[in-house]
Amino acid sequence: MRAPPPGGYAKPGCYPRRHRATAPRCRRAVRRRVPPVDHPDPAMALPALSRRSKQFVASSTDALMLMACLWLAVALRYGDALPDVSAFYWVFPLPALGALPLFHRAGLYRAVNRYIGSATLFAAVRALAITALVLAAVIYFRRPFEFPRSAPPIFFLIATSYLLGSRYLLNSMADDKRARGGRAARVI
């Protein structure tokens, strides 16, 4: 058996693999997750989250914003800031329920956003188009007469501008940080 190195081993009782058969058991250090640091700037707290948490934040934000895009489409169509939506309130969660699985399938939450390519963006626009068509079909077959028929195309345009604008903003924030010499923070 080989003698230990002159300075000894890093921890008493811990031996290399080849000596473990004859050596006493070593209690290995357990890797502990370090909780994210509370940052005064909320923009700096997002990169400190785990990947799963960032994906949840992104999908939740998209779900809320898709419902807001549909509300904005109805408000623009009626020309009123607070339209009466009590007759068709059940329509508003439909874009989020339909689009989020399509966004996941398109890979919008899988890739890091600073490396997102045009193929992923085209897939996201395709998912939004399918969502708008399904929304129009549900509205047509369910027939809530108060719901404007021109709202799904307006929703598609507003949601597309939101989706592409938010992803472009994340890309430009990462590029700006890289241009300043800092390491770009992984957003998603």
Side-chain angles (χ1 to χ4, degrees):
M1 188 161 117
R2 282 175 76 173
Y9 293 109
K11 292 175 83 177
C14 290
Y15 296 93
R17 187 177 300 264
R18 62 182 175 270
H19 296 296
R20 281 201 189 135
T22 58
R25 294 194 72 114
C26 172
R27 286 182 37 197
R28 290 191 169 206
V30 178
R31 281 188 170 178
R32 294 187 181 132
R33 288 191 111 176
V34 178
V37 179
D38 292 331
H39 293 282
D41 184 15
M44 293 305 296
L46 187 62
L49 294 175
S50 68
R51 179 179 174 164
R52 195 65 92 167
S53 298
K54 288 183 244 183
Q55 288 173 344
F56 177 75
V57 166
S59 61
S60 300
T61 304
D62 284 345
L64 291 174
M65 290 305 293
L66 286 174
M67 289 188 278
C69 288
L70 183 60
W71 176 83
L72 185 59
V74 171
L76 284 175
R77 172 59 184 91
Y78 280 146
D80 189 11
L82 296 171
D84 182 28
V85 295
S86 60
F88 49 87
Y89 66 91
W90 55 270
V91 175
F92 289 99
L94 291 180
L97 293 175
L100 288 182
L102 295 173
F103 287 168
H104 280 283
R105 184 160 171 83
L108 207 57
Y109 304 121
R110 180 181 59 222
V112 177
N113 270 339
R114 68 176 184 215
Y115 300 121
I116 200 164
S118 60
T120 308
L121 291 178
F122 287 134
V125 171
R126 189 178 323 123
L128 275 174
I130 291 170
T131 303
L133 289 174
V134 168
L135 179 67
V138 166
I139 290 168
Y140 177 75
F141 289 119
R142 181 69 187 201
R143 294 192 184 243
F145 293 107
E146 297 85 11
F147 194 83
R149 290 176 294 170
S150 60
I154 297 171
F155 161 75
F156 172 71
L157 294 174
I158 294 171
T160 302
S161 63
Y162 155 72
L163 187 71
L164 297 180
S166 65
R167 281 8 184 217
Y168 177 73
L169 180 67
L170 289 175
N171 272 336
S172 65
M173 285 172 37
D175 288 342
D176 184 41
K177 186 164 183 162
R178 236 179 284 130
R180 286 184 287 162
R183 188 172 155 231
R186 297 177 92 182
V187 177
I188 292 180

